[in-house]
Amino acid sequence: MLEINNLSVNYGGIQALQDVSLTVNEGEVVTLIGANGAGKTTTLRTISRLVSPRSGQILYNGKNITSLRPDQVVQAGIAHSPEGRRVLARQTVLDNLELGAFLRSDRWGIKADIEKQFQIFPRLGERRDQLAGTLSGGEQQMLAIARAVMSRPKLLLLDEPSLGLAPQIVREIFKTIVELNKSGVTILLVEQNATLALQNANRGYVMESGIITIEGQASDLLIDERVRQAYLG
Ligand code: ATP
């Protein structure tokens, strides 16, 4: 479904990604793990076209999407739930969800999908008219995921959904991620919590200083000595 070939990205003089290649097959949960600053967020931002690569290619269902605009990437079926949640703090929960559907014009479909999100995340339903900035961290993360899902993506890019959240909330969020995947959404998951990510993924890639260093089945990576020593504690 997604094929990244030899992607390199620079920020001025800093090389953030170097010859990164990875694939995500339809129906999979694939995780990208690695230390702070390894280039995980940059990878997702490049797929969404929020960052332009210096070289390399991004194919989506066989089509080259490397030079699309960010809105065209969403239109193609790829949604991004960014790191740090980035919900619109001064807008209500409902407004944030409507924003996630900004490219859709099926008013009734949007309404129905919002209600569906409230079933998946009842706390969001209870707080539908509340300003997003007043939600707890966990609720903001739920909103960020729900907002991304409002574009009806085939592929969801999830950046650090567990960041800064209590274990109970993290469990809840991962349960939803697995359910989303079962409902047909393919997922590329960036996580610092490597154990949790690998436990919930089919395959994984380890990134170090902008380079993919290890890749394999998630179950193999969980018992890989190099991965264990560096990332699983
Ligand atoms: P984190 O978990 O901290 O987000 P990451 O693995 O996602 O880490 P990136 O955020 O992709 O890593 O950063 C990769 C490298 O690029 C780092 O060296 C970082 O300092 C640098 N970098 C990221 N964004 C920018 C930017 N906008 N301008 C300059 N350098 C950047």
Side-chain angles (χ1 to χ4, degrees):
M1 181 178 224
L2 182 76
E3 184 181 333
I4 296 180
N5 296 319
N6 303 105
L7 200 66
S8 294
V9 173
N10 282 40
Y11 294 113
I14 303 169
Q15 180 147 30
L17 298 186
Q18 191 182 332
D19 272 335
V20 167
S21 297
L22 64 85
T23 57
V24 181
N25 300 311
E26 188 161 6
E28 282 188 313
V29 176
V30 173
T31 186
L32 186 55
I33 59 176
N36 244 330
K40 307 179 300 296
T41 296
T42 299
T43 304
L44 296 192
R45 290 177 60 84
T46 311
I47 299 167
S48 300
R49 299 296 292 109
L50 301 171
V51 170
S52 291
R54 185 167 57 82
S55 57
Q57 206 182 34
I58 305 169
L59 301 176
Y60 176 65
N61 292 329
K63 251 181 59 187
N64 190 345
I65 60 163
T66 321
S67 46
L68 295 188
R69 292 190 313 264
D71 60 307
Q72 293 172 319
V73 174
V74 179
Q75 192 88 59
I78 302 177
H80 188 165
S81 172
E83 184 182 35
R85 309 188 265 272
R86 305 271 164 85
V87 293
L88 294 181
R90 288 157 174 269
Q91 306 278 336
T92 65
V93 167
L94 207 53
D95 291 339
N96 270 274
L97 290 176
E98 280 171 358
L99 185 85
F102 76 109
L103 287 172
R104 293 172 56 185
S105 51
D106 55 326
R107 237 178 87 225
W108 296 107
I110 293 171
K111 240 177 124 101
D113 280 356
I114 288 177
E115 290 310 318
K116 199 162 128 199
Q117 294 311 310
F118 290 157
Q119 277 169 16
I120 300 169
F121 300 108
R123 293 154 185 250
L124 296 183
E126 290 159 20
R127 293 162 176 73
R128 63 174 74 200
D129 298 317
Q130 205 168 309
L131 295 183
T134 66
L135 300 177
S136 72
E139 289 157 1
Q140 288 189 28
Q141 181 60 62
M142 292 170 191
L143 181 56
I145 296 172
R147 182 183 58 184
V149 171
M150 284 302 298
S151 67
R152 290 205 170 164
K154 299 273 184 293
L155 173 65
L156 178 62
L157 312 175
L158 271 176
D159 200 349
E160 302 269 10
S162 80
L163 194 69
L165 303 179
Q168 171 58 29
I169 307 286
V170 171
R171 272 195 293 276
E172 240 178 84
I173 285 173
F174 267 75
K175 213 173 124 219
T176 322
I177 294 172
V178 170
E179 278 165 18
L180 253 174
N181 176 246
K182 283 190 181 143
S183 77
V185 182
T186 303
I187 293 173
L188 178 56
L189 167 70
V190 159
E191 255 297 337
Q192 289 231 18
N193 186 334
T195 308
L196 189 65
L198 290 171
Q199 281 169 345
N200 287 284
N202 302 104
R203 290 188 302 112
Y205 291 85
V206 178
M207 190 171 242
E208 285 170 41
S209 309
I211 298 172
I212 303 276
T213 51
I214 308 174
E215 62 179 275
Q217 294 296 319
S219 52
D220 292 337
L221 296 182
L222 273 169
I223 53 171
D224 185 301
E225 206 41 51
R226 297 164 297 172
V227 177
R228 290 178 70 87
Q229 280 193 3
Y231 304 104
L232 304 181

